[in-house]
Amino acid sequence: MTASPRSGWQPGYSRSHALRALGLDVSYLRGEGSRLYYEDGGSEIPVWDFLGGYGSTFFGHNHPALAGAIVEFLQRAGVVHGQGSVRSTSERLCATLSERLRAAIGRSYHVVLANTGAEAVEIAARHAELAYAQKRSAAARWVSDTQEPDAAPIWTPAAREALGRLGISEGCEATAELREHNRRVLAAAPMLIAVERSFHGMTARALDLTHDADGRFGGQPGPSRVMFVAPDSAGLRDALLALTRSLVRVRRRLNAWDLESMNWTSVFGFFMEPIQGEGGIHPVSSALAAAWRDACAACDVPLIADEIQSGMGRTGSFIYCEQVHVRPDYVLLGKSLGGGLSKISAVAIARELYLQGFSMQHCSTFAEDDFSSHVALQALELLDAEAALAKAATTGERLFQELRALAERHPTVIGDVRGRGLMLGLEWRALPFDRSNALRLLQHYGWLGYALSGYLLRAHGVRVAPTLSRGATLRLEPPYDVPDEAVRRLLSALEELCTLLECQDAGGILGPCVGIHLSRAEEGAPPLTVRRHPVASHVAFIGHFIEPDGVALWDPTFSRIGTDGCRCFLDRIHPLSEPLVYHRDHVHSATGGSTTLSFIGLPFSSEQCYGALRSPERAALRELVQRAVELAGDEGCTVVGLGGFCSILTRNGKELRPNGIAVTTGNGYTVGAGLLAMKTMAREQGIAWPRAHAAVIGATGNIGAVLARLLASEVASLVLVGRASRTAELEAAAGQLLYSLVTHEPDAPIARALADSGFGCIVSPELEEPAALYRRVKCVLGDDSPIDVGADPSRCRGVQLIASASNQPNAIVFPEHLGEGPIVICDLSVPGDVHESVARDRPHARVVRGGVVRAPGNPDWYVPGIPLQPGEMFACMAETALMGLEGHRSHGSFGTLTPERVLQTMGMARKHGFTAVRGKIESSY
C-alpha cells in the first residue's frame, strides 16, 4: 500500500526520542553477572541482559575477578599514563594475544593496542595503506628497470601479442607508450573492498567501510574509495579481477625484444566480518571464507578479519576464523577484550607483513595503557580458568536449538535463526499487518524491532535490541555463564511475543511501553480491503488524530489500553512521527466517473499540534506535513487535501512546497456542508433563519471569517466572538461587514435594520478605517447594533444560531454560555469547541459538528480511525475527492477562504451527487 519502506535513524531523530517512544528509556543503577537493575516507582526492577553491551559483556557485568583486578591495580597505585616509557603490562598483553592467535590458527602476529573497535579498524586500514604505498614504490622501481629497444625493434611473438592486448604499437614509440601505461596503472586510486551488510564502526574510515552508511547512519563519502561486494565467492573474485592490471617492462632476448609483466591490483585490503553482527548476525561459511582467502592470496591483497564482536570466545572459540579454518593477515579484537569494564581493542598483523616503522606512524594518548592491559590480561586468564569457551559453545548450541524450535512453532512470524555460540540473531518476517496500523507504521519506518525490544523489557524483564542496520533481527549476546533461569525467561517471553504478533495485537505489544501490561493476545480489526483498479485520477488526504481516543479506532487493539494509554502512546511516538498511506479506496460520482483517494496519516493529535503552534516545534510539524505532500506525489496524486491542524500548521497551505500538486484545505465544502446541515436542523427546531440572531466564535480565523460573511447576509444580527487579544481585528472585521452589506446587499436583514434605525451615514473604508466605522455605529446604536463583537462565549446567550471555528485544544462553549429556547450550534473546530455537557444540560440545543456527506455509489466507504458509518465521509475529505473527479490541477480552498469558493464547491458537490447526510456529532477535521 505504500512506497518502499525506510529504516534506521531519520534526520531530526535523537536516540533519546527513540528510547522513550518505544519503552527503552530506563536508567540502569547497577549490574551483576547476567542481570541489570533499574528503578521504577521506587522499586528496583531486575532485568536479564541478553544484549550484552553489543557483545562487550561476555564475562557478565562486574565479574568479581575483573573487578578485583581493577581494585588491586588502583590499590597499588598502578601507573595508567606512562607514555614515553616501556609499558611492561601492555607488552605482556600483546605477547599473550599473539600466542593465543598462534595456538588458535597457527600464525604469528604483531599486536598493536588501541582504545575502541572503530579505532582498530582505522589502524588496520592505515597500516594496509602504508604497506600498499611501499609495494607500489617497489613496483615503480621494477617497471623503471626497463631496456630501450632500437629504432626498428624485432619483438618476440609473445611480446607482439602482449602489445596488441595493450593497444601499443610495435614501433620505436613502444617504450614511451609502455611507460604511460605503467604510470596510469600505478596512479589508480587505492581501494578497499568490504562486504554488503557490513558494519565496521562510526569513525571516518570505519563508516566508509560500513555498507549503506549514507542511508542508515548519515555518513558521507570519505577520502578512500570503497567497493562493496556480495557475500558470496563470485563477488570478491570478480571485483579483484576487474581491478587487476598488468605492469610491463622491456627485456632483450637474444636477437629480439620481449616483455616481462606482473599483475597489479589497486586494492590494499579486504575487510570481512566472520560473523556480520550489525548486518543481522550472518556467519560466514567455511567454504566462503576459504574462497575469500584464496581470492585475496591470488592478488596479494591482505585479508582483514573484523572479530571485534565475534572474538574473545563469544562464538565458542577464541576467534570465529578458527572455526572456518582461515588465517587472516589482520585480526581485529575489541569489546569483550576489556572484560566489559575497560575500553581496549587490538590489531593483530601477521609478523611477515608488519611494517617496523609503523609505531612511529601511529600513536594514541590512551592506547597501550597498563590499566586496560591489566584488565584484559585478567579476562584472558578467565577464558581458561572458567572454561568460558566450552560453556559458550554448549549454552549457545542449546539456545540455538530452542530458538529453532520456537521458529518451527511460529513460522509465520519468525523468518530465521542464525549465529554461532552466544552470538545469535532471531529475524522477524516482514508481515503485511493488515489488521494493525500501529505495527505497520513501526515496521515501515524500521522501528518495529525496537518496539518488540521495549515489550520484552517492560513486560518480561528481558533486555535485547535489534542489530543496528537490520532492525528486523534481534541480537542475543548474553554472558558465557548465563543461567538456565534467564534462558527460560527469554524463551517464554519470545513465545508470548510471537502470539501477539500472530494476532497483530499492537495494544498488547505497545501497552507495556506506556505502563499497561495486557497478558491476553487479541486480534485486531478485520483485514482492510484495498481497491487498486485503475481510475481516471488519484488524490490524497492528510489527516491526524483529533482526540487520543482515535487511536483505538485506528488500531482496535488499543481499545484495551484506554484513553490515558492512547494519549501516552501518542506522546511517546510523536517525535518519531512519519507519514504513511493507511488506506486507499475509490470514490464514485453520479456522473459515472471515479477517483482514488489515499488517506495519509500522521500519528499525532490536535492537542500536540496546538501546543506546537507557538513554539519552534511548529516548523518540524510543518515539515512533516510537507513530507506527507511529497509522499502523495510519490503515490501519483494530483490533489492533496489538508485535514485537521495540517491546514493551520501550514497557514492554509501557503507555506507548503506542493511541487505541481493541487492543494486544498477542504474548508470550502466544510463551511458549505456545515451551513446546509445547520439550516436543516434550524428548520426542524422551528428557528426562522432570516429573523434569527447568530454568533460566530473564532471570527478572525480563516473559516470563521467566511462563516461571518455568509451568515451576515442572511440573519437578523451577528456577534463576532474571538480572543481578547484580537479585539482590534474583530472590530475591523465588523466594520468591513457593515460596509459590505450596506453597499452591496441592501436587502440583507442587517442592512435593512441599519436603514430602519436611521443610521444612513456609512462611509467608505477608504475614508474611514473599518474598526472606526464599527465603533461609530456601535456608539450611535448601542445594544441595537445588528453587528457586535466580544471576547467571551457568554455573548452567545441571546442568539439562536452559533457557528464555532476556533483552534483551541479544549472545549470553550459550556451550558452557561447558552440561552434558553431552541439553539443550533455548528461546531467546525478541531477538536470541538462545544463541551459534552451541553448535550446533557441544554436539551434544547442541537450541535452540528461540521458536515458529513455521502458520495453516490460508495456504500462501503470507510477509513480506519475515522468515526463515521460506512459510506460517509467528512466534507473536507469530500472536497479533495471532488477536485479529483473534476480533474482540477489548480489549488482549491487554498489560502484565504472566500464565499465564492464555498459556493463553487457546493456546485461541484451537486454535480457529482454528493449529499449532506446529517449534522455530524463526531470530532471533526
Side-chain angles (χ1 to χ4, degrees):
M1 290 181 62
T2 61
S4 58
R6 301 189 299 179
S7 61
W9 246 249
Q10 302 299 326
Y13 296 154
S14 71
R15 192 174 299 272
S16 61
H17 283 154
L19 293 177
R20 181 178 184 274
L22 302 170
L24 297 169
D25 54 332
V26 300
S27 178
Y28 293 104
L29 305 174
R30 63 188 182 92
E32 182 179 353
S34 298
R35 280 196 160 176
L36 291 169
Y37 299 84
Y38 70 94
E39 186 175 318
D40 186 17
S43 300
E44 193 174 68
I45 309 299
V47 171
W48 291 113
D49 186 11
F50 281 84
L51 176 57
Y54 294 156
S56 297
T57 56
F58 180 65
F59 301 96
H61 294 278
N62 298 305
H63 191 287
L66 297 172
I70 291 175
V71 171
E72 182 272 329
F73 182 91
L74 295 176
Q75 284 182 338
R76 63 178 169 82
V79 176
V80 177
H81 293 288
Q83 295 88 346
S85 67
V86 175
R87 304 187 189 185
S88 57
T89 306
S90 60
E91 283 189 345
R92 190 163 73 254
L93 174 60
C94 291
T96 303
L97 285 173
S98 180
E99 177 56 29
R100 284 270 184 180
L101 291 170
R102 189 197 62 76
I105 57 177
R107 194 171 187 182
S108 183
Y109 293 86
H110 181 95
V111 177
V112 178
L113 298 179
N115 298 284
T116 67
E119 187 183 1
V121 171
E122 301 280 344
I123 291 171
R126 177 165 173 73
H127 184 278
E129 193 166 18
L130 290 171
Y132 174 86
Q134 290 190 8
K135 188 169 70 170
R136 183 167 55 182
S137 296
R141 290 193 297 272
W142 182 85
V143 298
S144 67
D145 184 20
T146 189
Q147 297 176 341
E148 293 288 339
D150 50 34
I154 299 174
W155 299 96
T156 66
R160 286 199 300 273
E161 183 181 348
L163 290 171
R165 287 196 304 269
L166 296 174
I168 296 175
S169 65
E170 298 180 14
C172 60
E173 297 180 354
T175 305
E177 292 181 31
L178 285 171
R179 279 198 296 268
E180 176 60 21
H181 165 78
N182 289 331
R183 187 198 65 76
R184 289 197 305 268
V185 171
L186 290 175
M191 294 186 62
L192 288 167
I193 295 181
V195 185
E196 293 173 0
R197 297 192 307 244
S198 63
F199 180 93
H200 293 284
M202 302 289 276
T203 54
R205 184 75 68 93
L207 200 59
D208 289 342
L209 288 160
T210 294
H211 187 233
D212 196 18
D214 188 39
R216 296 182 183 279
F217 305 105
Q220 299 296 326
S224 299
R225 295 173 60 208
V226 178
M227 174 184 289
F228 292 94
V229 297
D232 56 41
S233 57
L236 178 61
R237 182 194 64 221
D238 294 347
L240 290 174
L241 182 63
L243 294 169
T244 298
R245 299 288 185 271
S246 291
L247 295 172
V248 184
R249 65 182 181 180
V250 180
R251 278 289 182 269
R252 179 81 179 187
R253 301 292 186 215
L254 299 177
N255 296 324
W257 294 93
D258 200 2
L259 297 179
E260 290 183 348
S261 65
M262 65 179 291
N263 287 335
W264 177 259
T265 304
S266 57
V267 177
F268 65 91
F270 169 61
F271 274 80
M272 61 167 276
E273 295 167 275
I275 297 185
Q276 289 184 322
E278 306 310 329
I281 316 294
H282 290 274
V284 172
S285 67
S286 297
L288 180 55
W292 283 348
R293 176 202 61 205
D294 294 344
C296 288
C299 296
D300 194 24
V301 171
L303 188 155
I304 304 169
D306 182 344
E307 294 257 17
I308 292 167
Q309 190 168 172
S310 57
M312 275 298 288
R314 179 153 291 283
T315 64
S317 56
F318 184 64
I319 58 174
Y320 187 63
C321 282
E322 182 179 353
Q323 297 185 40
V324 293
H325 314 295
V326 168
R327 299 189 299 169
D329 299 301
Y330 295 63
V331 178
L332 313 185
L333 295 170
K335 293 192 182 292
S336 288
L337 179 60
L341 291 172
S342 66
K343 300 175 179 65
I344 186 170
S345 61
V347 181
I349 306 169
R351 287 198 180 275
E352 68 273 18
L353 301 178
Y354 180 70
L355 304 176
Q356 292 303 317
F358 185 68
S359 62
M360 302 300 293
Q361 300 279 340
H362 168 79
C363 64
S364 169
T365 298
F366 292 99
E368 299 182 1
D369 67 292
D370 280 357
F371 171 77
S372 298
S373 299
H374 180 69
V375 178
L377 282 168
Q378 184 63 48
L380 290 168
E381 290 182 14
L382 279 177
L383 289 179
D384 298 328
E386 300 194 359
L389 301 183
K391 290 180 181 178
T394 302
T395 304
E397 180 61 23
R398 186 171 71 250
L399 179 56
F400 181 81
Q401 295 303 329
E402 292 281 6
L403 292 172
R404 278 291 178 90
L406 179 73
E408 291 176 0
R409 293 194 297 274
H410 301 279
T412 61
V413 295
I414 298 179
D416 197 9
V417 177
R418 297 183 296 268
R420 294 292 185 275
L422 292 175
M423 186 175 177
L424 301 175
L426 187 152
E427 182 178 0
W428 304 103
R429 291 190 185 279
L431 301 174
F433 289 127
D434 56 352
R435 290 182 171 91
S436 172
N437 280 318
L439 296 178
R440 184 148 53 92
L441 170 72
L442 293 170
Q443 178 174 265
H444 183 80
Y445 285 106
W447 298 114
L448 182 59
Y450 292 93
L452 302 184
S453 300
Y455 164 79
L456 291 170
L457 175 67
R458 295 291 190 169
H460 297 279
V462 172
R463 185 177 188 234
V464 298
T467 57
L468 283 182
S469 56
R470 291 295 183 274
T473 300
L474 291 185
R475 71 171 87 228
L476 302 172
E477 300 185 61
Y480 71 89
D481 58 351
V482 57
D484 290 343
E485 177 188 357
V487 173
R488 288 194 298 271
R489 173 71 68 85
L490 169 71
L491 294 170
S492 173
L494 289 173
E495 189 86 51
E496 184 170 321
L497 178 56
C498 287
T499 302
L500 290 168
L501 284 170
E502 288 166 342
C503 293
Q504 300 187 33
D505 189 347
I509 293 172
L510 298 172
C513 299
V514 298
I516 301 172
H517 179 43
L518 305 171
S519 59
R520 181 177 57 86
E522 182 174 287
E523 291 193 6
L528 302 175
T529 300
V530 181
R531 297 171 175 85
R532 295 181 177 275
H533 303 299
V535 294
S537 65
H538 190 179
V539 301
F541 185 78
I542 303 170
H544 59 77
F545 296 111
I546 303 305
E547 304 282 359
D549 284 344
V551 175
L553 296 172
W554 173 69
D555 194 311
T557 62
F558 276 87
S559 61
R560 297 194 291 152
I561 70 174
T563 300
D564 290 341
C566 289
R567 178 177 283 107
C568 185
F569 167 74
L570 288 178
D571 287 342
R572 285 176 172 268
I573 205 71
H574 169 51
L576 306 183
S577 297
E578 285 291 340
L580 186 64
V581 176
Y582 289 109
H583 189 69
R584 185 186 294 117
D585 204 349
H586 302 328
V587 179
H588 299 283
S589 164
T591 65
S594 62
T595 188
T596 296
L597 189 147
S598 291
F599 184 86
I600 300 176
L602 298 173
F604 52 74
S605 68
S606 298
E607 188 176 67
Q608 291 168 320
C609 288
Y610 184 82
L613 285 179
R614 293 166 182 81
S615 75
E617 193 178 0
R618 176 179 177 270
L621 290 183
R622 182 180 62 225
E623 189 59 28
L624 188 60
V625 177
Q626 175 65 41
R627 292 204 292 277
V629 172
E630 293 167 1
L631 176 58
D634 294 341
E635 289 276 306
C637 298
T638 57
V639 179
V640 62
L642 305 177
F645 270 74
C646 296
S647 173
I648 299 169
L649 288 168
T650 62
R651 302 199 189 284
N652 300 308
K654 296 178 70 173
E655 293 183 348
L656 288 172
R657 305 180 299 278
N659 299 324
I661 301 177
V663 177
T664 182
T665 62
N667 290 338
Y669 198 18
T670 297
V671 170
L675 285 177
L676 187 60
M678 192 177 181
K679 288 181 178 181
T680 301
M681 192 167 286
R683 205 164 40 243
E684 294 173 356
Q685 295 296 101
I687 299 174
W689 192 270
R691 295 194 299 274
H693 301 282
V696 176
I697 299 174
T700 57
N702 193 38
I703 294 178
V706 78
L707 278 169
R709 289 174 65 181
L710 291 169
L711 283 170
S713 301
E714 300 180 350
V715 298
S717 71
L718 184 66
V719 178
L720 306 182
V721 181
R723 297 191 188 97
S725 61
R726 307 189 73 170
T727 299
E729 294 179 52
L730 287 169
E731 292 180 345
Q736 186 65 52
L737 284 174
L738 286 167
Y739 173 76
S740 178
L741 291 171
V742 170
T743 305
H744 303 295
E745 299 183 64
D747 291 331
I750 289 178
R752 290 200 304 270
L754 286 170
D756 293 344
S757 68
F759 193 92
C761 189
I762 299 291
V763 297
S764 170
E766 287 79 7
L767 302 177
E768 183 177 14
E769 290 291 331
L773 174 60
Y774 161 74
R775 287 193 292 270
R776 187 158 58 84
V777 171
K778 178 68 175 174
C779 181
V780 173
L781 299 182
D783 293 339
D784 292 330
S785 173
I787 293 183
D788 204 352
V789 302
D792 188 340
S794 61
R795 295 298 302 273
C796 299
R797 285 198 185 110
V799 304
Q800 297 85 45
L801 304 174
I802 300 172
S804 190
S806 82
N807 60 359
Q808 296 294 314
N810 301 304
I812 58 175
V813 178
F814 291 84
E816 59 267 26
H817 298 139
L818 306 177
E820 300 298 328
I823 301 171
V824 173
I825 307 172
C826 179
D827 188 353
L828 300 179
S829 299
V830 285
D833 282 339
V834 181
H835 192 265
E836 59 186 12
S837 61
V838 168
R840 182 185 67 242
D841 298 343
R842 288 290 188 271
H844 55 273
R846 295 291 181 268
V847 180
V848 181
R849 294 192 186 276
V852 172
V853 301
R854 185 185 298 276
N858 295 273
D860 300 324
W861 172 267
Y862 175 74
V863 177
I866 302 296
L868 294 175
Q869 297 299 313
E872 299 176 351
M873 66 177 70
F874 291 155
C876 54
M877 186 185 298
E879 181 174 333
T880 307
L882 287 169
M883 290 179 63
L885 292 170
E886 286 284 290
H888 281 195
R889 295 301 180 99
S890 58
H891 299 318
S893 299
F894 182 79
T896 302
L897 185 62
T898 65
E900 292 75 21
R901 176 61 194 177
V902 174
L903 296 175
Q904 180 186 4
T905 306
M906 295 301 289
M908 287 192 298
R910 287 191 297 272
K911 172 184 174 181
H912 293 283
F914 283 55
T915 56
V917 178
R918 56 181 169 84
K920 74 183 183 67
I921 59 173
E922 297 83 3
S923 296
S924 171
Y925 284 109

